[in-house]
Structures are given as C-alpha cells and as structure tokens.
Amino acid sequence: MNIEIEGADGKLRRFDDDALLVAMAGDYAGHKPLDLGEPGPASMISGEPGYRYRSGGVEVVLTQRELQHLVFHALPVAWYQRLKSACPELPEIGATFYDANSGRALQPKVKVPRED
C-alpha cells in the first residue's frame, strides 16, 4: 500500500508499509527519528498539531507519536475508538489489527502505551 505523510511544509513523504515501519522504528531502536517536518493541522485523536496521513484513499491527521502507534498497530483503546469514530474506513484499524468491540490491539508490534 502506498502511504503519504504531509507536514505543514506541504511536502509529501511517500512510503510503502515496510519502509514506513522501518522508518518509524528509529525512535525505538535508538536511531535518528523520522523527519516529517513541522506539524500542521490538529490531530483527530489529541487535537495537537499533526501530520496528514493518507493510506488506501483515506486521510487522517495524527501527531508523530500517534502515527507511530498506528503504524505499529499499537493504538491504546481510547485512541483507536476516537480514530474509528472519525474514520472507520482506515485500513490500519481494521478487524485484522483491532478487536472491533473492545478496541484492543490484536497484533501490536510494540507494547501498547497507557493513555496519558
């Protein structure tokens, strides 16, 4: 799947699933974090400045931290529920990755964080 991430600078950063997973893992592996530029519009989850994330013809706005957890299929339940409510057709939050009833991550690639 082709994924685009756009910051406030309007620059599109394009990835496939695997390349984005590796790029986002930098923070966890102690490498240089992925440079997405300056954040822009408000996140659909937290309301903090975020990035436009486009996948499968669907667009959501998330902070870099929220994007990491989306890419790792490790959204906390409340984040999943907010995102599902705003954008139910987003492929990354489908039944393969989250329990539709509880919102619990089924295949997280990192530990699901507690909510702040």
Side-chain angles (χ1 to χ4, degrees):
M1 181 178 318
N2 291 325
I3 298 166
E4 295 179 343
I5 300 176
E6 179 182 349
D9 59 6
K11 180 180 175 186
L12 291 180
R13 293 142 179 99
R14 292 185 172 92
F15 303 90
D16 64 27
D17 292 338
D18 293 333
L20 183 57
L21 184 64
V22 169
M24 286 285 187
D27 285 351
Y28 289 95
H31 301 193
K32 182 179 175 186
L34 179 62
D35 180 11
L36 296 176
E38 290 298 315
S43 161
M44 300 167 109
I45 292 176
S46 64
E48 295 176 20
Y51 302 90
R52 294 182 193 282
Y53 175 92
R54 296 182 189 100
S55 171
V58 179
E59 179 178 292
V60 295
V61 178
L62 302 171
T63 67
Q64 188 158 349
R65 181 171 177 242
E66 293 162 353
L67 282 171
Q68 285 175 318
H69 292 292
L70 177 70
V71 169
F72 295 144
H73 306 296
L75 293 168
V77 172
W79 292 11
Y80 165 82
Q81 290 171 339
R82 285 183 218 137
L83 199 51
K84 183 76 170 175
S85 175
C87 197
E89 64 277 4
L90 184 65
E92 289 84 342
I93 60 172
T96 302
F97 305 110
Y98 293 89
D99 180 278
N101 295 318
S102 71
R104 202 180 71 194
L106 302 174
Q107 301 179 40
K109 296 184 182 344
V110 297
K111 184 178 178 184
V112 177
R114 291 189 338 213
E115 290 180 65
D116 296 333

